[in-house]
Amino acid sequence: MNKKHLITLSTSVIGAFFMAFLFVFSPPQLQSLDNSLRDIFFQIRGEIPTTGEVVIIDIDEKSLTTFGQWPWERNLVAQLIQQLSDDGAGIIGLDIVFSEKDKTSPAYLNKKQSLKLEIPEDYDKILGNSVCNTHTILGYVFMINDKTPKATAPSIPGIVIEQNTSSQSYILEPLGVLPNTPAIQEKAYSSGFFNNLPDPSGMVRNVPLIMKFNNVIYPSLALEMLRVAHQSPSIKVKSSETGVESVQIGDLLIPTNRYGQLFVNYRGPGHTFTYISAADVLNNQYDKTAIEGKWLLVGTSASALLDLRSMPFDNAYPGVEAHANVIDNILKGDTLSKPNWIEAADLLLIASVFLLRYLVFNSF
């Protein structure tokens, strides 16, 4: 091998190793560039229709003006849920957590202030009864970086089966949990976490479908709503040495990234889905046919309640609509995915490019 060939081979090998290193250990700048390019593709594609099956019940500015600032008295939330159920809602998911007792409740005031009421109303129990008597799935929050030693995650009536487990788990493991107060949680049929986890750029592009807490896998609010609606007794998590590959509910197969997250195929900017003001529901001033048999998510778009996120189409996107997209993606079967094997294929492509470079330059 002459000197020219040796130099060509050396530069090709060094270049291949350098590109492979950048690919495997991508610096934040490269990851940000990759995400930005995908965002541009979303914007070029534009809006696409929803299934029309997911509706958001919005605790909006109008609702806060009509019924007062948040948090509302729990008997009012109970009235909202009961009204939706009576009007024909299919299944209701709460993108809200009631982690403390209602301090406006007569039962709470009776205990704290010694009012000595004979039968004080307990607003938490009223809400618990409404949750129990309707097709409502509660929401709660996992604490990613904060420990909560005394708190336990709510149990679910289904089981989660992790198939083909490996020694290394890629599923996100939070340190703590913020559950609903027992008077409400114990009445619920089931519940799911509703964490939206922005990436380093602040965008919500991937939404976790599962998390592992104290060595137990728990489903997200959207995933648990799907399990309950499909009457499936279990959720199957298929994993391999490279991480999670998919989540399955009955015959419904949902591809995920290695962390058990869904890359959201956003339909468009905020309010692409049907929104109905909670105030209109409570005042019985809305079209009931809009919710009959539908998937309902109760959440907020009010800026004062700080549940706004950034996503490819919109920098002030209601967090509840991210969950609406997840359900809609799965119902329509057009979820986006990046197979775990694609990384190996990309590394092989990098090696092939530099091998081709060597062969081309070596031929002269």
Side-chain angles (χ1 to χ4, degrees):
M1 181 180 294
N2 59 38
K3 185 176 180 181
K4 177 184 174 181
H5 290 171
L6 183 60
I7 292 173
T8 303
L9 177 61
S10 299
T11 55
S12 296
V13 171
I14 293 171
F17 273 106
F18 178 72
M19 291 302 296
F21 179 84
L22 286 180
F23 178 78
V24 174
F25 303 100
S26 300
Q29 294 83 353
L30 286 182
Q31 293 178 15
S32 179
L33 176 61
D34 181 56
N35 288 332
S36 296
L37 287 173
R38 285 191 288 177
D39 293 346
I40 291 173
F41 289 143
F42 266 121
Q43 293 163 9
I44 292 173
R45 185 206 67 186
E47 297 181 35
I48 57 175
T50 72
T51 61
E53 295 300 313
V54 185
V55 176
I56 294 171
I57 306 302
D58 191 14
I59 302 171
D60 53 4
E61 303 290 354
K62 177 181 179 180
S63 301
L64 298 180
T65 300
T66 305
F67 293 99
Q69 67 180 10
W70 188 263
W72 286 346
E73 296 175 347
R74 303 279 164 80
N75 62 333
L76 182 61
V77 180
Q79 182 184 336
L80 173 66
I81 294 171
Q82 193 64 56
Q83 185 68 51
L84 291 169
S85 180
D86 293 344
D87 290 343
I91 187 168
I92 304 168
L94 299 186
D95 186 33
I96 306 166
V97 61
F98 305 99
S99 58
E100 298 179 351
K101 293 181 178 180
D102 187 344
K103 295 179 181 179
T104 67
S105 172
Y108 182 87
L109 295 174
N110 185 57
K111 183 177 180 180
K112 291 294 181 180
Q113 300 180 12
S114 300
L115 298 181
K116 298 182 180 180
L117 300 175
E118 290 186 6
I119 309 178
E121 281 189 302
D122 190 326
Y123 292 167
D124 288 321
K125 287 185 178 180
I126 291 173
L127 176 55
N129 289 334
S130 290
V131 168
C132 178
N133 296 327
T134 59
H135 297 139
T136 299
I137 307 299
L138 287 181
Y140 62 92
V141 178
F142 274 125
M143 311 299 288
I144 306 303
N145 300 312
D146 298 324
K147 291 184 178 181
T148 52
K150 296 182 180 180
T152 57
S155 60
I156 62 170
I159 58 173
V160 181
I161 304 169
E162 191 173 8
Q163 300 176 317
N164 303 324
T165 58
S166 62
S167 58
Q168 181 179 6
S169 176
Y170 290 87
I171 302 172
L172 182 63
E173 299 190 37
L175 298 180
V177 61
L178 186 66
N180 292 279
T181 188
I184 301 171
Q185 186 65 56
E186 291 171 1
K187 288 285 189 175
Y189 172 71
S190 191
S191 54
F193 65 83
F194 56 81
N195 298 70
N196 281 330
L197 305 178
D199 60 25
S201 67
M203 287 275 190
V204 176
R205 295 183 175 92
N206 299 287
V207 173
L209 295 183
I210 52 175
M211 289 194 201
K212 183 178 287 188
F213 183 65
N214 289 339
N215 294 317
V216 177
I217 296 178
Y218 293 90
S220 69
L221 175 63
L223 188 64
E224 183 61 5
M225 289 175 69
L226 286 159
R227 186 196 68 80
V228 173
H230 284 78
Q231 299 181 346
S232 175
S234 64
I235 297 171
K236 296 178 181 178
V237 180
K238 184 179 180 182
S239 302
S240 67
E241 293 77 10
T242 57
V244 180
E245 295 180 350
S246 63
V247 173
Q248 185 171 356
I249 300 174
D251 296 329
L252 194 63
L253 189 67
I254 310 163
T256 69
N257 66 11
R258 67 175 55 187
Y259 307 104
Q261 300 171 346
L262 183 76
F263 181 55
V264 184
N265 186 4
Y266 283 105
R267 303 322 195 187
H271 291 79
T272 297
F273 287 79
T274 298
Y275 275 68
I276 298 175
S277 173
D280 291 338
V281 176
L282 289 166
N283 288 327
N284 202 22
Q285 296 177 343
Y286 77 110
D287 180 9
K288 297 176 178 59
T289 61
I291 70 163
E292 289 180 357
K294 300 294 177 66
W295 303 69
L296 305 188
L297 285 165
V298 180
T300 180
S301 68
S303 57
L305 299 186
L306 303 177
D307 190 26
L308 299 178
R309 304 287 186 265
S310 293
M311 43 72 72
F313 283 105
D314 199 334
N315 288 325
Y317 192 80
V320 63
E321 197 164 346
H323 305 299
N325 275 277
V326 170
I327 295 173
D328 202 69
N329 286 183
I330 296 171
L331 291 178
K332 197 172 183 179
D334 63 352
T335 58
L336 302 177
S337 63
K338 180 181 177 181
N340 293 337
W341 56 262
I342 203 70
E343 293 182 1
D346 287 340
L347 288 173
L348 182 61
L349 179 61
I350 291 172
S352 300
V353 168
F354 281 92
L355 176 61
L356 180 61
R357 174 190 180 277
Y358 168 72
L359 293 176
V360 169
F361 279 93
N362 197 35
S363 64
F364 291 101

PDB file of all heavy atoms in Angstrom, residues 203-227:
ATOM      1  N   MET A 203     -39.687  21.761  23.831  1.00  0.00           N
ATOM      2  CA  MET A 203     -40.794  21.285  23.016  1.00  0.00           C
ATOM      3  C   MET A 203     -41.317  19.951  23.536  1.00  0.00           C
ATOM      4  O   MET A 203     -40.552  19.099  24.014  1.00  0.00           O
ATOM      5  CB  MET A 203     -40.342  21.094  21.567  1.00  0.00           C
ATOM      6  CG  MET A 203     -40.113  22.388  20.805  1.00  0.00           C
ATOM      7  SD  MET A 203     -41.659  22.999  20.113  1.00  0.00           S
ATOM      8  CE  MET A 203     -41.009  24.306  19.055  1.00  0.00           C
ATOM      9  N   VAL A 204     -42.631  19.746  23.429  1.00  0.00           N
ATOM     10  CA  VAL A 204     -43.223  18.447  23.720  1.00  0.00           C
ATOM     11  C   VAL A 204     -43.386  17.718  22.395  1.00  0.00           C
ATOM     12  O   VAL A 204     -44.303  17.997  21.625  1.00  0.00           O
ATOM     13  CB  VAL A 204     -44.581  18.584  24.440  1.00  0.00           C
ATOM     14  CG1 VAL A 204     -45.219  17.214  24.637  1.00  0.00           C
ATOM     15  CG2 VAL A 204     -44.411  19.278  25.784  1.00  0.00           C
ATOM     16  N   ARG A 205     -42.466  16.809  22.113  1.00  0.00           N
ATOM     17  CA  ARG A 205     -42.513  16.043  20.865  1.00  0.00           C
ATOM     18  C   ARG A 205     -42.860  14.576  21.137  1.00  0.00           C
ATOM     19  O   ARG A 205     -43.513  13.941  20.331  1.00  0.00           O
ATOM     20  CB  ARG A 205     -41.162  16.129  20.145  1.00  0.00           C
ATOM     21  CG  ARG A 205     -40.800  17.539  19.677  1.00  0.00           C
ATOM     22  CD  ARG A 205     -39.479  17.540  18.918  1.00  0.00           C
ATOM     23  NE  ARG A 205     -39.174  18.847  18.356  1.00  0.00           N
ATOM     24  CZ  ARG A 205     -38.454  19.787  18.971  1.00  0.00           C
ATOM     25  NH1 ARG A 205     -37.984  19.556  20.192  1.00  0.00           N
ATOM     26  NH2 ARG A 205     -38.227  20.945  18.390  1.00  0.00           N
ATOM     27  N   ASN A 206     -42.379  14.063  22.262  1.00  0.00           N
ATOM     28  CA  ASN A 206     -42.658  12.680  22.668  1.00  0.00           C
ATOM     29  C   ASN A 206     -43.441  12.683  23.972  1.00  0.00           C
ATOM     30  O   ASN A 206     -43.087  13.414  24.901  1.00  0.00           O
ATOM     31  CB  ASN A 206     -41.354  11.906  22.864  1.00  0.00           C
ATOM     32  CG  ASN A 206     -40.533  11.837  21.594  1.00  0.00           C
ATOM     33  OD1 ASN A 206     -40.876  11.109  20.664  1.00  0.00           O
ATOM     34  ND2 ASN A 206     -39.458  12.603  21.534  1.00  0.00           N
ATOM     35  N   VAL A 207     -44.467  11.866  24.031  1.00  0.00           N
ATOM     36  CA  VAL A 207     -45.282  11.756  25.243  1.00  0.00           C
ATOM     37  C   VAL A 207     -45.155  10.334  25.790  1.00  0.00           C
ATOM     38  O   VAL A 207     -45.368   9.361  25.052  1.00  0.00           O
ATOM     39  CB  VAL A 207     -46.759  12.085  24.945  1.00  0.00           C
ATOM     40  CG1 VAL A 207     -47.628  11.805  26.165  1.00  0.00           C
ATOM     41  CG2 VAL A 207     -46.910  13.534  24.517  1.00  0.00           C
ATOM     42  N   PRO A 208     -44.774  10.178  27.073  1.00  0.00           N
ATOM     43  CA  PRO A 208     -44.614   8.826  27.625  1.00  0.00           C
ATOM     44  C   PRO A 208     -45.951   8.101  27.754  1.00  0.00           C
ATOM     45  O   PRO A 208     -46.925   8.662  28.255  1.00  0.00           O
ATOM     46  CB  PRO A 208     -43.983   9.082  28.998  1.00  0.00           C
ATOM     47  CG  PRO A 208     -44.387  10.477  29.360  1.00  0.00           C
ATOM     48  CD  PRO A 208     -44.468  11.227  28.057  1.00  0.00           C
ATOM     49  N   LEU A 209     -45.976   6.856  27.302  1.00  0.00           N
ATOM     50  CA  LEU A 209     -47.153   6.010  27.472  1.00  0.00           C
ATOM     51  C   LEU A 209     -47.050   5.175  28.737  1.00  0.00           C
ATOM     52  O   LEU A 209     -48.066   4.752  29.279  1.00  0.00           O
ATOM     53  CB  LEU A 209     -47.322   5.081  26.262  1.00  0.00           C
ATOM     54  CG  LEU A 209     -47.631   5.734  24.923  1.00  0.00           C
ATOM     55  CD1 LEU A 209     -47.834   4.658  23.848  1.00  0.00           C
ATOM     56  CD2 LEU A 209     -48.865   6.627  25.011  1.00  0.00           C
ATOM     57  N   ILE A 210     -45.811   4.937  29.193  1.00  0.00           N
ATOM     58  CA  ILE A 210     -45.587   4.140  30.397  1.00  0.00           C
ATOM     59  C   ILE A 210     -44.433   4.742  31.194  1.00  0.00           C
ATOM     60  O   ILE A 210     -43.558   5.404  30.633  1.00  0.00           O
ATOM     61  CB  ILE A 210     -45.254   2.666  30.059  1.00  0.00           C
ATOM     62  CG1 ILE A 210     -44.105   2.602  29.041  1.00  0.00           C
ATOM     63  CG2 ILE A 210     -46.480   1.930  29.575  1.00  0.00           C
ATOM     64  CD1 ILE A 210     -43.633   1.200  28.729  1.00  0.00           C
ATOM     65  N   MET A 211     -44.457   4.544  32.501  1.00  0.00           N
ATOM     66  CA  MET A 211     -43.342   4.849  33.379  1.00  0.00           C
ATOM     67  C   MET A 211     -43.235   3.743  34.416  1.00  0.00           C
ATOM     68  O   MET A 211     -44.209   3.009  34.662  1.00  0.00           O
ATOM     69  CB  MET A 211     -43.516   6.203  34.087  1.00  0.00           C
ATOM     70  CG  MET A 211     -43.376   7.421  33.197  1.00  0.00           C
ATOM     71  SD  MET A 211     -43.201   8.931  34.197  1.00  0.00           S
ATOM     72  CE  MET A 211     -43.695  10.181  33.017  1.00  0.00           C
ATOM     73  N   LYS A 212     -42.056   3.624  35.002  1.00  0.00           N
ATOM     74  CA  LYS A 212     -41.825   2.583  36.002  1.00  0.00           C
ATOM     75  C   LYS A 212     -41.540   3.247  37.346  1.00  0.00           C
ATOM     76  O   LYS A 212     -40.616   4.040  37.473  1.00  0.00           O
ATOM     77  CB  LYS A 212     -40.655   1.693  35.591  1.00  0.00           C
ATOM     78  CG  LYS A 212     -40.391   0.541  36.554  1.00  0.00           C
ATOM     79  CD  LYS A 212     -39.245  -0.331  36.079  1.00  0.00           C
ATOM     80  CE  LYS A 212     -39.656  -1.183  34.902  1.00  0.00           C
ATOM     81  NZ  LYS A 212     -38.600  -2.171  34.543  1.00  0.00           N
ATOM     82  N   PHE A 213     -42.366   2.896  38.337  1.00  0.00           N
ATOM     83  CA  PHE A 213     -42.216   3.467  39.679  1.00  0.00           C
ATOM     84  C   PHE A 213     -42.203   2.328  40.685  1.00  0.00           C
ATOM     85  O   PHE A 213     -43.127   1.506  40.713  1.00  0.00           O
ATOM     86  CB  PHE A 213     -43.369   4.431  39.969  1.00  0.00           C
ATOM     87  CG  PHE A 213     -43.288   5.134  41.287  1.00  0.00           C
ATOM     88  CD1 PHE A 213     -42.264   6.031  41.552  1.00  0.00           C
ATOM     89  CD2 PHE A 213     -44.229   4.899  42.276  1.00  0.00           C
ATOM     90  CE1 PHE A 213     -42.184   6.692  42.764  1.00  0.00           C
ATOM     91  CE2 PHE A 213     -44.164   5.555  43.501  1.00  0.00           C
ATOM     92  CZ  PHE A 213     -43.126   6.450  43.741  1.00  0.00           C
ATOM     93  N   ASN A 214     -41.153   2.265  41.495  1.00  0.00           N
ATOM     94  CA  ASN A 214     -40.981   1.176  42.462  1.00  0.00           C
ATOM     95  C   ASN A 214     -41.099  -0.189  41.783  1.00  0.00           C
ATOM     96  O   ASN A 214     -41.767  -1.108  42.275  1.00  0.00           O
ATOM     97  CB  ASN A 214     -42.002   1.298  43.603  1.00  0.00           C
ATOM     98  CG  ASN A 214     -41.695   2.476  44.510  1.00  0.00           C
ATOM     99  OD1 ASN A 214     -40.570   2.968  44.551  1.00  0.00           O
ATOM    100  ND2 ASN A 214     -42.709   2.953  45.218  1.00  0.00           N
ATOM    101  N   ASN A 215     -40.453  -0.281  40.590  1.00  0.00           N
ATOM    102  CA  ASN A 215     -40.386  -1.530  39.810  1.00  0.00           C
ATOM    103  C   ASN A 215     -41.726  -1.994  39.254  1.00  0.00           C
ATOM    104  O   ASN A 215     -41.871  -3.157  38.856  1.00  0.00           O
ATOM    105  CB  ASN A 215     -39.756  -2.653  40.639  1.00  0.00           C
ATOM    106  CG  ASN A 215     -38.298  -2.384  40.970  1.00  0.00           C
ATOM    107  OD1 ASN A 215     -37.540  -1.939  40.121  1.00  0.00           O
ATOM    108  ND2 ASN A 215     -37.923  -2.635  42.223  1.00  0.00           N
ATOM    109  N   VAL A 216     -42.700  -1.106  39.230  1.00  0.00           N
ATOM    110  CA  VAL A 216     -44.003  -1.412  38.640  1.00  0.00           C
ATOM    111  C   VAL A 216     -44.251  -0.447  37.484  1.00  0.00           C
ATOM    112  O   VAL A 216     -43.996   0.755  37.609  1.00  0.00           O
ATOM    113  CB  VAL A 216     -45.139  -1.288  39.684  1.00  0.00           C
ATOM    114  CG1 VAL A 216     -46.495  -1.549  39.030  1.00  0.00           C
ATOM    115  CG2 VAL A 216     -44.912  -2.238  40.838  1.00  0.00           C
ATOM    116  N   ILE A 217     -44.734  -0.966  36.353  1.00  0.00           N
ATOM    117  CA  ILE A 217     -45.008  -0.131  35.186  1.00  0.00           C
ATOM    118  C   ILE A 217     -46.433   0.403  35.270  1.00  0.00           C
ATOM    119  O   ILE A 217     -47.385  -0.353  35.523  1.00  0.00           O
ATOM    120  CB  ILE A 217     -44.810  -0.922  33.884  1.00  0.00           C
ATOM    121  CG1 ILE A 217     -43.343  -1.329  33.745  1.00  0.00           C
ATOM    122  CG2 ILE A 217     -45.234  -0.094  32.678  1.00  0.00           C
ATOM    123  CD1 ILE A 217     -43.049  -2.159  32.510  1.00  0.00           C
ATOM    124  N   TYR A 218     -46.583   1.703  35.045  1.00  0.00           N
ATOM    125  CA  TYR A 218     -47.882   2.357  35.090  1.00  0.00           C
ATOM    126  C   TYR A 218     -48.202   2.993  33.741  1.00  0.00           C
ATOM    127  O   TYR A 218     -47.300   3.501  33.058  1.00  0.00           O
ATOM    128  CB  TYR A 218     -47.904   3.435  36.180  1.00  0.00           C
ATOM    129  CG  TYR A 218     -47.807   2.880  37.579  1.00  0.00           C
ATOM    130  CD1 TYR A 218     -46.564   2.688  38.186  1.00  0.00           C
ATOM    131  CD2 TYR A 218     -48.943   2.532  38.291  1.00  0.00           C
ATOM    132  CE1 TYR A 218     -46.470   2.163  39.466  1.00  0.00           C
ATOM    133  CE2 TYR A 218     -48.862   2.013  39.572  1.00  0.00           C
ATOM    134  CZ  TYR A 218     -47.628   1.828  40.153  1.00  0.00           C
ATOM    135  OH  TYR A 218     -47.548   1.308  41.418  1.00  0.00           O
ATOM    136  N   PRO A 219     -49.483   3.009  33.341  1.00  0.00           N
ATOM    137  CA  PRO A 219     -49.874   3.592  32.057  1.00  0.00           C
ATOM    138  C   PRO A 219     -50.200   5.080  32.176  1.00  0.00           C
ATOM    139  O   PRO A 219     -50.577   5.567  33.248  1.00  0.00           O
ATOM    140  CB  PRO A 219     -51.126   2.794  31.687  1.00  0.00           C
ATOM    141  CG  PRO A 219     -51.760   2.504  33.024  1.00  0.00           C
ATOM    142  CD  PRO A 219     -50.613   2.300  33.987  1.00  0.00           C
ATOM    143  N   SER A 220     -50.084   5.769  31.057  1.00  0.00           N
ATOM    144  CA  SER A 220     -50.488   7.169  31.010  1.00  0.00           C
ATOM    145  C   SER A 220     -52.013   7.249  31.019  1.00  0.00           C
ATOM    146  O   SER A 220     -52.724   6.249  30.825  1.00  0.00           O
ATOM    147  CB  SER A 220     -49.945   7.834  29.748  1.00  0.00           C
ATOM    148  OG  SER A 220     -50.604   7.313  28.605  1.00  0.00           O
ATOM    149  N   LEU A 221     -52.519   8.449  31.204  1.00  0.00           N
ATOM    150  CA  LEU A 221     -53.968   8.674  31.193  1.00  0.00           C
ATOM    151  C   LEU A 221     -54.556   8.239  29.852  1.00  0.00           C
ATOM    152  O   LEU A 221     -55.570   7.533  29.805  1.00  0.00           O
ATOM    153  CB  LEU A 221     -54.256  10.158  31.448  1.00  0.00           C
ATOM    154  CG  LEU A 221     -55.721  10.597  31.357  1.00  0.00           C
ATOM    155  CD1 LEU A 221     -56.569   9.903  32.415  1.00  0.00           C
ATOM    156  CD2 LEU A 221     -55.835  12.111  31.512  1.00  0.00           C
ATOM    157  N   ALA A 222     -53.918   8.652  28.756  1.00  0.00           N
ATOM    158  CA  ALA A 222     -54.421   8.296  27.417  1.00  0.00           C
ATOM    159  C   ALA A 222     -54.413   6.787  27.223  1.00  0.00           C
ATOM    160  O   ALA A 222     -55.385   6.200  26.711  1.00  0.00           O
ATOM    161  CB  ALA A 222     -53.579   8.987  26.345  1.00  0.00           C
ATOM    162  N   LEU A 223     -53.320   6.128  27.623  1.00  0.00           N
ATOM    163  CA  LEU A 223     -53.212   4.685  27.432  1.00  0.00           C
ATOM    164  C   LEU A 223     -54.225   3.932  28.285  1.00  0.00           C
ATOM    165  O   LEU A 223     -54.828   2.953  27.823  1.00  0.00           O
ATOM    166  CB  LEU A 223     -51.790   4.222  27.776  1.00  0.00           C
ATOM    167  CG  LEU A 223     -51.458   2.764  27.437  1.00  0.00           C
ATOM    168  CD1 LEU A 223     -51.529   2.523  25.941  1.00  0.00           C
ATOM    169  CD2 LEU A 223     -50.071   2.394  27.961  1.00  0.00           C
ATOM    170  N   GLU A 224     -54.436   4.380  29.511  1.00  0.00           N
ATOM    171  CA  GLU A 224     -55.405   3.710  30.376  1.00  0.00           C
ATOM    172  C   GLU A 224     -56.827   3.915  29.871  1.00  0.00           C
ATOM    173  O   GLU A 224     -57.665   3.005  29.959  1.00  0.00           O
ATOM    174  CB  GLU A 224     -55.257   4.207  31.817  1.00  0.00           C
ATOM    175  CG  GLU A 224     -56.174   3.513  32.822  1.00  0.00           C
ATOM    176  CD  GLU A 224     -55.952   2.007  32.949  1.00  0.00           C
ATOM    177  OE1 GLU A 224     -55.019   1.466  32.320  1.00  0.00           O
ATOM    178  OE2 GLU A 224     -56.736   1.366  33.664  1.00  0.00           O
ATOM    179  N   MET A 225     -57.118   5.097  29.322  1.00  0.00           N
ATOM    180  CA  MET A 225     -58.440   5.315  28.722  1.00  0.00           C
ATOM    181  C   MET A 225     -58.669   4.341  27.571  1.00  0.00           C
ATOM    182  O   MET A 225     -59.760   3.778  27.418  1.00  0.00           O
ATOM    183  CB  MET A 225     -58.566   6.758  28.234  1.00  0.00           C
ATOM    184  CG  MET A 225     -58.679   7.792  29.346  1.00  0.00           C
ATOM    185  SD  MET A 225     -58.678   9.502  28.738  1.00  0.00           S
ATOM    186  CE  MET A 225     -60.274   9.577  27.890  1.00  0.00           C
ATOM    187  N   LEU A 226     -57.637   4.125  26.771  1.00  0.00           N
ATOM    188  CA  LEU A 226     -57.732   3.180  25.659  1.00  0.00           C
ATOM    189  C   LEU A 226     -57.926   1.750  26.168  1.00  0.00           C
ATOM    190  O   LEU A 226     -58.736   0.988  25.619  1.00  0.00           O
ATOM    191  CB  LEU A 226     -56.470   3.267  24.795  1.00  0.00           C
ATOM    192  CG  LEU A 226     -56.368   4.510  23.908  1.00  0.00           C
ATOM    193  CD1 LEU A 226     -54.918   4.769  23.513  1.00  0.00           C
ATOM    194  CD2 LEU A 226     -57.228   4.340  22.659  1.00  0.00           C
ATOM    195  N   ARG A 227     -57.196   1.377  27.224  1.00  0.00           N
ATOM    196  CA  ARG A 227     -57.341   0.025  27.763  1.00  0.00           C
ATOM    197  C   ARG A 227     -58.748  -0.220  28.278  1.00  0.00           C
ATOM    198  O   ARG A 227     -59.360  -1.256  27.992  1.00  0.00           O
ATOM    199  CB  ARG A 227     -56.330  -0.207  28.900  1.00  0.00           C
ATOM    200  CG  ARG A 227     -56.319  -1.651  29.409  1.00  0.00           C
ATOM    201  CD  ARG A 227     -55.624  -1.785  30.757  1.00  0.00           C
ATOM    202  NE  ARG A 227     -56.374  -1.140  31.838  1.00  0.00           N
ATOM    203  CZ  ARG A 227     -57.428  -1.705  32.443  1.00  0.00           C
ATOM    204  NH1 ARG A 227     -57.865  -2.890  32.062  1.00  0.00           N
ATOM    205  NH2 ARG A 227     -58.043  -1.062  33.412  1.00  0.00           N
TER     206      ARG A 227
END
